Amino acid sequence: METVYFDNNATTRVADEVFEEIKPYFCELYGNPSSMHTFGGQVGIKMREARGKVAALLGCDPSEIIFTGCGTESDNTAINGTLAAYPDKRKVITSRVEHPAVLQVCRELEHKGYTVVEIGVDKKGRLDLTELEEQIDEDTALVTIMYSNNETGVIFPIDKIAELTEDKGVVFHTDAVQTVGKIPLNLSRSNIDLLSISGHKLHAPKGIGVLYVRKGTRLSPYMVGGHQEGGKRAGTENVPGIIGLGKACELAAENIEAENNKVRKLRDKLENAILQRCPDSMLNGDKENRLPNTSNISFEYVEGEAILLMLDKFGICASSGSACTSGSLEPSHVLRAMGVPFTAAHGSIRFSLSRYNTEQEVDYTIEKIPDIINRLRELSPFVTKK
Ligand code: PLP
């Protein structure tokens, strides 16, 4: 077996159909879409079509789509652009389990004198909605809560939160970087004001993102210096990225249900077999309200990094919730927020699948993992030998 890629929440393979679609935009159709000539103008037309495809997947109007450079830029723009548009309001509400593209921006705001409230989650990673509702007050400019979590796949009740913020007249942003393309969304039936997407999470290239801005939402531009994207995001557009994202959204819209079923079946087979065959292993996150492709499993008494290295030897790519910071292994902030015990949080592995995974890959991984865990436990100082 060559590479078994179970790290699709980190990034995805570009779809063949997407790759074919973007090829002409490097050496043939390389005009600037803002140019007056027909050569550039034809690119502008294709870009409009791509915008329409993204909007169709989201159920919104093409004029509500702003192309950005990545999910991180979309998140930064949503937060900083909202605060700049509401200079008298000084409070932001987020959650403890956000991606750093949101959490770090919010934490920096604290240094600038903003009040930042991080809403907690329970042991299954579910958001405390009562706390959220209590925290929204007159001073609140923005609520920014992710749609689904990148580590556990847990899906938050975003439409409910959007109703709440709508009632209270507060702007609501959601980081849907891990959600779009994995489960169906319909923004025409939602009160979400701002929503972030990243192309490379749904089989489009890296370096393209989207910020959905609902009509009427006040937002100051973050990047200035050009008229592109209706003056909301300056800079010559990443044309191949935009065309590729349009195609990826079209593919997702056509196939989302069949692919969900396929991916969920494979994920469940992998997850159930691991949990059955490895003693002292447990699922992290809400089993029910979860992305169909993600499984986060803790193996007690072993380090996630050691498991990853052993998996890597067999060509299996996954990722660990821990991050090696300044020489000490810090367990993931998401698992800590969920109260996952220290020994389990350190040994957590995220498997994230895509439509390109096969049953053979799942079977191969199921065969390798119990041995890997047993071997590591034999070396672990936390396991008492009988
Ligand atoms: N938000 C979430 C939930 C993510 O998982 C990621 C990437 O892993 C990002 C934001 C950042 O997206 P990008 O890599 O496009 O900047």
Side-chain angles (χ1 to χ4, degrees):
M1 185 89 42
E2 285 177 15
T3 300
V4 175
Y5 190 73
F6 287 148
D7 201 12
N8 287 279
N9 287 7
T11 198
T12 58
R13 166 203 198 286
V14 171
D16 294 326
E17 299 90 331
V18 169
F19 188 48
E20 284 307 314
E21 190 97 354
I22 66 181
K23 271 186 197 164
Y25 294 91
F26 290 97
C27 303
E28 295 156 43
L29 299 169
Y30 53 82
N32 189 321
S34 301
S35 298
M36 288 299 291
H37 43 72
T38 312
F39 184 66
Q42 63 185 332
V43 176
I45 291 168
K46 288 291 176 191
M47 234 173 58
R48 258 202 305 285
E49 284 176 19
R51 196 184 301 277
K53 290 174 186 173
V54 177
L57 178 65
L58 296 179
C60 69
D61 193 86
S63 64
E64 297 173 309
I65 298 293
I66 299 177
F67 289 115
T68 66
C70 55
T72 302
E73 185 191 323
S74 300
D75 287 343
N76 275 252
T77 305
I79 298 167
N80 290 321
T82 300
L83 296 180
Y86 291 89
D88 298 334
K89 300 202 174 195
R90 306 292 293 173
K91 182 171 172 182
V92 176
I93 300 173
T94 186
S95 83
R96 287 174 64 194
V97 297
E98 297 297 309
H99 187 275
V102 166
L103 210 48
Q104 206 168 317
V105 180
C106 289
R107 288 183 181 164
E108 279 173 16
L109 289 170
E110 277 183 321
H111 299 298
K112 295 179 187 160
Y114 284 90
T115 302
V116 176
V117 176
E118 294 177 13
I119 306 295
V121 293
D122 68 8
K123 62 183 192 318
K124 285 189 168 179
R126 295 174 301 196
L127 199 74
D128 186 340
L129 274 185
T130 315
E131 189 191 355
L132 174 63
E133 188 165 5
E134 283 167 5
Q135 282 292 347
I136 302 175
D137 60 16
E138 295 281 287
D139 199 32
T140 307
L142 176 72
V143 172
T144 172
I145 303 278
M146 68 201 323
Y147 212 120
S148 57
N149 186 270
N150 45 304
E151 292 189 27
T152 59
V154 172
I155 300 170
F156 287 149
I158 288 303
D159 285 331
K160 241 189 222 168
I161 299 172
E163 263 174 46
L164 208 74
T165 50
E166 178 86 355
D167 282 351
K168 303 214 179 195
V170 171
V171 177
F172 177 46
H173 165 247
T174 184
D175 174 342
V177 163
Q178 293 293 347
T179 317
V180 173
K182 291 184 182 135
I183 56 170
L185 303 190
N186 189 346
L187 293 174
S188 72
R189 284 197 252 119
S190 159
N191 291 319
I192 295 167
D193 297 304
L194 302 161
L195 176 141
S196 304
I197 304 182
S198 175
H200 73 106
K201 310 288 186 183
L202 69 146
H203 306 289
K206 296 163 184 63
I208 181 69
V210 164
L211 182 62
Y212 156 80
V213 183
R214 180 155 71 142
K215 263 192 200 101
T217 305
R218 273 161 60 188
L219 186 80
S220 292
Y222 189 44
M223 302 268 271
V224 292
H227 59 272
Q228 293 89 350
E229 299 299 292
K232 294 188 186 114
R233 198 275 188 179
T236 302
E237 300 87 343
N238 171 3
V239 173
I242 290 171
I243 304 285
L245 181 57
K247 185 67 188 175
C249 287
E250 185 181 67
L251 292 172
E254 282 167 8
N255 306 318
I256 203 159
E257 214 156 296
E259 275 170 11
N260 269 359
N261 289 336
K262 177 196 158 179
V263 168
R264 182 181 283 111
K265 252 194 207 150
L266 290 178
R267 189 269 316 264
D268 288 349
K269 182 175 185 187
L270 178 70
E271 178 175 291
N272 292 334
I274 292 174
L275 292 173
Q276 264 170 23
R277 294 181 194 193
C278 300
D280 295 319
S281 62
M282 69 205 71
L283 180 70
N284 292 314
D286 186 1
K287 198 169 163 49
E288 308 309 322
N289 290 309
R290 200 165 40 132
L291 294 173
N293 80 319
T294 307
S295 181
N296 189 310
I297 298 177
S298 275
F299 300 90
E300 286 263 21
Y301 319 121
V302 276
E303 288 291 348
E305 280 69 18
I307 304 171
L308 287 185
L309 289 175
M310 301 270 277
L311 285 172
D312 192 47
K313 276 197 177 163
F314 293 109
I316 302 166
C317 311
S319 85
S320 130
S322 316
C324 190
T325 41
S326 59
S328 71
L329 287 170
E330 276 292 312
S332 119
H333 70 286
V334 175
L335 300 185
R336 267 185 299 160
M338 289 162 59
V340 174
F342 184 81
T343 47
H346 268 290
S348 79
I349 297 292
R350 177 187 71 186
F351 300 94
S352 48
L353 282 67
S354 83
R355 60 174 177 261
Y356 293 103
N357 289 122
T358 63
E359 186 134 17
Q360 288 88 319
E361 292 176 332
V362 167
D363 291 341
Y364 171 77
T365 308
I366 291 171
E367 184 197 308
K368 299 291 176 210
I369 287 198
D371 275 354
I372 291 177
I373 301 300
N374 284 341
R375 267 158 60 195
L376 289 172
R377 284 197 180 139
E378 276 165 20
L379 304 171
S380 168
F382 297 111
V383 180
T384 41
K385 310 258 169 354
K386 293 199 183 105

